[in-house]
Amino acid sequence: MIHAKLGLDAGLLGVFHLPERLSENGAAIDLLQDPAAAGGETWPLALGPLLDAEDFAAGSGLPYERMYAIASRRIADGGLRSVNPSYAIQRPSARNGYQIHQDLLERNPAPYNLYFDGGDFQLAGSSPAMFLRLRDGRLSTSPICGTVARGRGEAEDQAQVEKLLASDKDRFELEECVKADIQAKKASCEDIRIDVEREVERFANVFHTSASVSARLKPGKTLADAICDHLWPATVIGTPVDSAARLIAEHESRRWYAGAFGYLCADEAELGTMIRTALLTDGKATTRVGSTLSARSSPQLERSELEAKASLILGVL
């Protein structure tokens, strides 16, 4: 899905979902039914030729040092308060996506687990991040921003949590994401509440801080309106969202990374954000990791954060 507000022709910032139907040479292809039932290919349908699988796997972007310098200048000039660039990591891997999915389920207590077989490729992930939830008439989001690596035992874990909670940088970044999330809700929602201001979440490789925000859809507004208003979360883009997204779109193609996955019904939805995920194809695994840059950042801190985040996926390849 192209971020319509940007008006850019830089391709996809991320894949939101595969549409119900794609077409090839003018003929519709139904992805929600087994094609073999209609006399077509056996399941799973090979999506690679439709998506340009090699480009879809890795996307593109600048080296870390160059993107850090560009982002830092924009922040110093006042054009941005924060920005969240991402970087691709590729490794050889003989494992299939389902094996990795099973390992992630055992290792990481994440709320949003993913396995998708696209025929030419598989996606396997264990994401800590909600994109959006609609349940019992309320729309919920959980901005997650602020990261520190796990320690080597309970004592080190406790010290790391204290370090995270004392960090002005991590507090600022979460506050920015919460402000952007509330602003996104104003177009289609009312009765906006901050239900949890800041809490620590524990995962296999890192601790994160997160908040919880909820609202009620305005009369005449739909789930589709809310989804469009929340593309894309500041947690994976930066702030102000439109300005940060423009910078990212100028220098980076994410393809599948940081899109959303889950289910949607008429009056209910549960969608996670596609991070801590690997795409596997042709004996290679590709993952992407990002971190939030702000005026409080330093290259050493950001590198440490990227390494901590990447360790989950690299550890199961």
Side-chain angles (χ1 to χ4, degrees):
M1 179 177 285
I2 295 172
H3 195 302
K5 288 193 292 184
L6 298 179
L8 300 175
D9 56 0
L12 298 175
L13 286 177
V15 172
F16 175 64
H17 74 294
L18 288 173
E20 293 184 13
R21 302 187 73 87
L22 293 176
S23 63
E24 184 176 25
N25 298 326
I29 301 172
D30 195 332
L31 302 183
L32 300 184
Q33 298 177 359
D34 186 343
E41 295 184 53
T42 57
W43 189 264
L45 180 66
L47 296 179
L50 307 179
L51 296 172
D52 186 357
E54 186 170 343
D55 175 64
F56 183 67
S60 63
L62 296 178
Y64 171 81
E65 292 81 3
R66 188 174 173 194
M67 190 64 193
Y68 187 94
I70 291 171
S72 297
R73 286 197 298 270
R74 290 290 297 275
I75 291 167
D77 292 344
L80 296 173
R81 294 188 297 275
S82 66
V83 65
N84 196 310
S86 70
Y87 309 93
I89 302 171
Q90 280 195 331
R91 295 284 187 274
S93 180
R95 309 195 73 201
N96 66 50
Y98 193 72
Q99 290 173 327
I100 290 173
H101 168 65
Q102 294 284 64
D103 277 0
L104 289 171
L105 285 176
E106 291 182 9
R107 296 188 186 198
N108 194 43
Y112 296 97
N113 297 288
L114 163 71
Y115 174 71
F116 177 79
D117 190 338
D120 303 81
F121 64 89
Q122 293 86 43
L123 285 162
S126 183
S127 174
M130 177 195 295
F131 173 68
L132 180 149
R133 173 189 295 144
L134 179 64
R135 190 173 295 167
D136 299 326
R138 288 199 71 80
L139 186 81
S140 301
T141 49
S142 182
I144 186 165
C145 199
T147 305
V148 70
R150 289 286 304 271
R152 290 171 291 183
E154 286 300 321
E156 284 192 13
D157 273 351
Q158 184 58 39
Q160 289 294 82
V161 169
E162 292 173 1
K163 176 182 175 182
L164 177 61
L165 291 175
S167 168
D168 290 337
K169 170 187 181 293
D170 291 301
R171 179 179 290 278
F172 168 78
E173 290 169 1
L174 181 60
E175 289 174 351
E176 282 289 293
C177 290
V178 170
K179 291 175 186 176
D181 184 85
I182 290 171
Q183 187 62 38
K185 285 180 171 58
K186 289 182 178 179
S188 56
C189 298
E190 58 190 9
D191 187 25
I192 302 170
R193 307 173 189 170
I194 299 177
D195 299 312
V196 177
E197 186 172 328
R198 194 184 191 205
E199 65 181 348
V200 176
E201 298 192 44
R202 175 175 177 153
F203 300 98
N205 56 324
V206 296
F207 292 104
H208 286 306
T209 47
S210 66
S212 296
V213 184
S214 69
R216 186 174 60 248
L217 287 176
K218 293 178 180 178
K221 295 295 184 178
T222 67
L223 174 59
D225 294 317
I227 289 172
C228 289
D229 291 339
H230 285 79
L231 293 174
W232 293 103
T235 50
V236 295
I237 293 292
T239 57
V241 172
D242 281 2
S243 298
R246 286 181 183 276
L247 181 66
I248 290 171
E250 289 167 5
H251 300 291
E252 184 179 328
S253 294
R254 294 185 166 183
R255 306 311 185 202
W256 55 271
Y257 173 76
F261 67 97
Y263 72 87
L264 301 94
C265 305
D267 56 359
E268 184 173 308
E270 184 81 36
L271 299 170
T273 303
M274 201 177 297
I275 58 175
R276 313 296 145 78
T277 296
L279 186 147
L280 294 106
T281 184
D282 295 330
K284 293 183 294 187
T286 304
T287 188
R288 292 189 79 92
V289 289
S291 69
T292 302
L293 308 183
S294 70
R296 296 160 173 81
S297 295
S298 72
Q300 183 178 358
L301 281 175
E302 299 308 329
R303 276 195 178 277
S304 296
E305 181 174 328
L306 292 169
E307 290 168 1
K309 290 175 176 178
S311 67
L312 175 68
I313 295 298
L314 297 181
V316 297
L317 297 182

